[in-house]
PDB file of all heavy atoms in Angstrom:
ATOM      1  N   VAL E 145     104.314 108.259 107.239  1.00  0.00           N
ATOM      2  CA  VAL E 145     104.648 109.317 106.294  1.00  0.00           C
ATOM      3  C   VAL E 145     105.862 108.881 105.491  1.00  0.00           C
ATOM      4  O   VAL E 145     106.798 108.283 106.037  1.00  0.00           O
ATOM      5  CB  VAL E 145     104.963 110.631 107.047  1.00  0.00           C
ATOM      6  CG1 VAL E 145     105.483 111.691 106.092  1.00  0.00           C
ATOM      7  CG2 VAL E 145     103.724 111.111 107.783  1.00  0.00           C
ATOM      8  N   LEU E 146     105.846 109.167 104.200  1.00  0.00           N
ATOM      9  CA  LEU E 146     106.997 108.888 103.354  1.00  0.00           C
ATOM     10  C   LEU E 146     107.680 110.188 102.960  1.00  0.00           C
ATOM     11  O   LEU E 146     107.031 111.127 102.495  1.00  0.00           O
ATOM     12  CB  LEU E 146     106.572 108.138 102.091  1.00  0.00           C
ATOM     13  CG  LEU E 146     106.264 106.654 102.260  1.00  0.00           C
ATOM     14  CD1 LEU E 146     106.019 106.010 100.904  1.00  0.00           C
ATOM     15  CD2 LEU E 146     107.399 105.953 102.971  1.00  0.00           C
ATOM     16  N   ALA E 147     108.989 110.221 103.139  1.00  0.00           N
ATOM     17  CA  ALA E 147     109.764 111.416 102.820  1.00  0.00           C
ATOM     18  C   ALA E 147     111.002 111.014 102.031  1.00  0.00           C
ATOM     19  O   ALA E 147     111.374 109.842 101.979  1.00  0.00           O
ATOM     20  CB  ALA E 147     110.178 112.146 104.099  1.00  0.00           C
ATOM     21  N   ARG E 148     111.623 112.019 101.413  1.00  0.00           N
ATOM     22  CA  ARG E 148     112.850 111.731 100.669  1.00  0.00           C
ATOM     23  C   ARG E 148     114.003 111.495 101.643  1.00  0.00           C
ATOM     24  O   ARG E 148     114.811 110.587 101.458  1.00  0.00           O
ATOM     25  CB  ARG E 148     113.182 112.903  99.750  1.00  0.00           C
ATOM     26  CG  ARG E 148     112.046 113.319  98.850  1.00  0.00           C
ATOM     27  CD  ARG E 148     112.470 114.450  97.931  1.00  0.00           C
ATOM     28  NE  ARG E 148     113.495 114.010  97.015  1.00  0.00           N
ATOM     29  CZ  ARG E 148     113.268 113.451  95.849  1.00  0.00           C
ATOM     30  NH1 ARG E 148     112.027 113.256  95.445  1.00  0.00           N
ATOM     31  NH2 ARG E 148     114.255 113.074  95.084  1.00  0.00           N
ATOM     32  N   ASP E 149     114.085 112.314 102.657  1.00  0.00           N
ATOM     33  CA  ASP E 149     115.142 112.195 103.664  1.00  0.00           C
ATOM     34  C   ASP E 149     114.695 112.996 104.887  1.00  0.00           C
ATOM     35  O   ASP E 149     113.567 113.469 104.951  1.00  0.00           O
ATOM     36  CB  ASP E 149     116.475 112.719 103.118  1.00  0.00           C
ATOM     37  CG  ASP E 149     116.291 114.049 102.429  1.00  0.00           C
ATOM     38  OD1 ASP E 149     115.512 114.880 102.960  1.00  0.00           O
ATOM     39  OD2 ASP E 149     116.888 114.264 101.364  1.00  0.00           O
ATOM     40  N   ILE E 150     115.603 113.178 105.809  1.00  0.00           N
ATOM     41  CA  ILE E 150     115.207 113.845 107.045  1.00  0.00           C
ATOM     42  C   ILE E 150     114.898 115.322 106.799  1.00  0.00           C
ATOM     43  O   ILE E 150     113.957 115.873 107.366  1.00  0.00           O
ATOM     44  CB  ILE E 150     116.322 113.681 108.101  1.00  0.00           C
ATOM     45  CG1 ILE E 150     116.517 112.178 108.353  1.00  0.00           C
ATOM     46  CG2 ILE E 150     115.952 114.397 109.400  1.00  0.00           C
ATOM     47  CD1 ILE E 150     117.403 111.885 109.515  1.00  0.00           C
ATOM     48  N   GLN E 151     115.668 115.933 105.945  1.00  0.00           N
ATOM     49  CA  GLN E 151     115.393 117.338 105.623  1.00  0.00           C
ATOM     50  C   GLN E 151     114.002 117.467 104.986  1.00  0.00           C
ATOM     51  O   GLN E 151     113.261 118.397 105.290  1.00  0.00           O
ATOM     52  CB  GLN E 151     116.447 117.898 104.658  1.00  0.00           C
ATOM     53  CG  GLN E 151     117.803 118.162 105.293  1.00  0.00           C
ATOM     54  CD  GLN E 151     118.575 116.878 105.525  1.00  0.00           C
ATOM     55  OE1 GLN E 151     118.452 115.935 104.771  1.00  0.00           O
ATOM     56  NE2 GLN E 151     119.365 116.831 106.593  1.00  0.00           N
ATOM     57  N   ASP E 152     113.711 116.545 104.130  1.00  0.00           N
ATOM     58  CA  ASP E 152     112.409 116.598 103.483  1.00  0.00           C
ATOM     59  C   ASP E 152     111.299 116.396 104.507  1.00  0.00           C
ATOM     60  O   ASP E 152     110.232 117.013 104.416  1.00  0.00           O
ATOM     61  CB  ASP E 152     112.347 115.523 102.394  1.00  0.00           C
ATOM     62  CG  ASP E 152     111.079 115.634 101.557  1.00  0.00           C
ATOM     63  OD1 ASP E 152     110.710 116.768 101.207  1.00  0.00           O
ATOM     64  OD2 ASP E 152     110.458 114.594 101.267  1.00  0.00           O
ATOM     65  N   PHE E 153     111.545 115.551 105.482  1.00  0.00           N
ATOM     66  CA  PHE E 153     110.525 115.374 106.514  1.00  0.00           C
ATOM     67  C   PHE E 153     110.331 116.654 107.323  1.00  0.00           C
ATOM     68  O   PHE E 153     109.207 116.966 107.734  1.00  0.00           O
ATOM     69  CB  PHE E 153     110.884 114.232 107.450  1.00  0.00           C
ATOM     70  CG  PHE E 153     109.858 114.036 108.524  1.00  0.00           C
ATOM     71  CD1 PHE E 153     108.616 113.516 108.235  1.00  0.00           C
ATOM     72  CD2 PHE E 153     110.132 114.427 109.836  1.00  0.00           C
ATOM     73  CE1 PHE E 153     107.656 113.367 109.224  1.00  0.00           C
ATOM     74  CE2 PHE E 153     109.182 114.270 110.833  1.00  0.00           C
ATOM     75  CZ  PHE E 153     107.943 113.741 110.524  1.00  0.00           C
ATOM     76  N   GLU E 154     111.395 117.369 107.504  1.00  0.00           N
ATOM     77  CA  GLU E 154     111.255 118.663 108.191  1.00  0.00           C
ATOM     78  C   GLU E 154     110.283 119.560 107.426  1.00  0.00           C
ATOM     79  O   GLU E 154     109.420 120.206 108.003  1.00  0.00           O
ATOM     80  CB  GLU E 154     112.638 119.311 108.336  1.00  0.00           C
ATOM     81  CG  GLU E 154     112.668 120.525 109.251  1.00  0.00           C
ATOM     82  CD  GLU E 154     112.265 121.809 108.553  1.00  0.00           C
ATOM     83  OE1 GLU E 154     112.504 121.932 107.337  1.00  0.00           O
ATOM     84  OE2 GLU E 154     111.685 122.681 109.214  1.00  0.00           O
ATOM     85  N   ARG E 155     110.436 119.553 106.103  1.00  0.00           N
ATOM     86  CA  ARG E 155     109.527 120.331 105.274  1.00  0.00           C
ATOM     87  C   ARG E 155     108.088 119.825 105.407  1.00  0.00           C
ATOM     88  O   ARG E 155     107.146 120.604 105.568  1.00  0.00           O
ATOM     89  CB  ARG E 155     109.968 120.237 103.805  1.00  0.00           C
ATOM     90  CG  ARG E 155     109.059 120.992 102.847  1.00  0.00           C
ATOM     91  CD  ARG E 155     109.385 120.646 101.407  1.00  0.00           C
ATOM     92  NE  ARG E 155     109.257 119.214 101.099  1.00  0.00           N
ATOM     93  CZ  ARG E 155     108.093 118.607 100.875  1.00  0.00           C
ATOM     94  NH1 ARG E 155     106.956 119.299 100.923  1.00  0.00           N
ATOM     95  NH2 ARG E 155     108.051 117.323 100.604  1.00  0.00           N
ATOM     96  N   ILE E 156     107.930 118.507 105.372  1.00  0.00           N
ATOM     97  CA  ILE E 156     106.591 117.932 105.497  1.00  0.00           C
ATOM     98  C   ILE E 156     105.996 118.288 106.849  1.00  0.00           C
ATOM     99  O   ILE E 156     104.817 118.647 106.953  1.00  0.00           O
ATOM    100  CB  ILE E 156     106.668 116.402 105.300  1.00  0.00           C
ATOM    101  CG1 ILE E 156     107.057 116.084 103.865  1.00  0.00           C
ATOM    102  CG2 ILE E 156     105.359 115.751 105.673  1.00  0.00           C
ATOM    103  CD1 ILE E 156     107.454 114.640 103.641  1.00  0.00           C
ATOM    104  N   HIS E 157     106.814 118.182 107.868  1.00  0.00           N
ATOM    105  CA  HIS E 157     106.350 118.528 109.201  1.00  0.00           C
ATOM    106  C   HIS E 157     105.841 119.966 109.231  1.00  0.00           C
ATOM    107  O   HIS E 157     104.795 120.274 109.814  1.00  0.00           O
ATOM    108  CB  HIS E 157     107.498 118.350 110.195  1.00  0.00           C
ATOM    109  CG  HIS E 157     107.085 118.447 111.627  1.00  0.00           C
ATOM    110  ND1 HIS E 157     106.773 119.633 112.230  1.00  0.00           N
ATOM    111  CD2 HIS E 157     106.929 117.482 112.556  1.00  0.00           C
ATOM    112  CE1 HIS E 157     106.446 119.402 113.483  1.00  0.00           C
ATOM    113  NE2 HIS E 157     106.531 118.106 113.715  1.00  0.00           N
ATOM    114  N   ARG E 158     106.585 120.839 108.559  1.00  0.00           N
ATOM    115  CA  ARG E 158     106.249 122.259 108.587  1.00  0.00           C
ATOM    116  C   ARG E 158     105.025 122.568 107.720  1.00  0.00           C
ATOM    117  O   ARG E 158     104.140 123.303 108.124  1.00  0.00           O
ATOM    118  CB  ARG E 158     107.471 123.050 108.093  1.00  0.00           C
ATOM    119  CG  ARG E 158     107.356 124.537 108.118  1.00  0.00           C
ATOM    120  CD  ARG E 158     108.720 125.207 107.985  1.00  0.00           C
ATOM    121  NE  ARG E 158     109.666 124.444 107.182  1.00  0.00           N
ATOM    122  CZ  ARG E 158     109.704 124.467 105.828  1.00  0.00           C
ATOM    123  NH1 ARG E 158     108.872 125.224 105.161  1.00  0.00           N
ATOM    124  NH2 ARG E 158     110.614 123.745 105.185  1.00  0.00           N
ATOM    125  N   THR E 159     104.977 121.977 106.527  1.00  0.00           N
ATOM    126  CA  THR E 159     103.938 122.376 105.573  1.00  0.00           C
ATOM    127  C   THR E 159     102.686 121.510 105.628  1.00  0.00           C
ATOM    128  O   THR E 159     101.625 121.936 105.202  1.00  0.00           O
ATOM    129  CB  THR E 159     104.490 122.339 104.136  1.00  0.00           C
ATOM    130  OG1 THR E 159     104.870 120.996 103.833  1.00  0.00           O
ATOM    131  CG2 THR E 159     105.687 123.248 103.993  1.00  0.00           C
ATOM    132  N   GLU E 160     102.837 120.286 106.120  1.00  0.00           N
ATOM    133  CA  GLU E 160     101.653 119.425 106.142  1.00  0.00           C
ATOM    134  C   GLU E 160     101.175 119.158 107.567  1.00  0.00           C
ATOM    135  O   GLU E 160     100.021 119.405 107.911  1.00  0.00           O
ATOM    136  CB  GLU E 160     101.949 118.083 105.445  1.00  0.00           C
ATOM    137  CG  GLU E 160     102.310 118.240 103.973  1.00  0.00           C
ATOM    138  CD  GLU E 160     102.527 116.887 103.287  1.00  0.00           C
ATOM    139  OE1 GLU E 160     102.013 115.871 103.782  1.00  0.00           O
ATOM    140  OE2 GLU E 160     103.226 116.853 102.249  1.00  0.00           O
TER     141      GLU E 160
END
Side-chain angles (χ1 to χ4, degrees):
Chain E
V145 173
L146 283 187
R148 307 182 65 88
D149 46 40
I150 300 190
Q151 286 76 32
D152 187 43
F153 180 71
E154 191 276 330
R155 179 191 59 79
I156 293 167
H157 190 286
R158 183 164 31 82
T159 62
E160 298 183 22

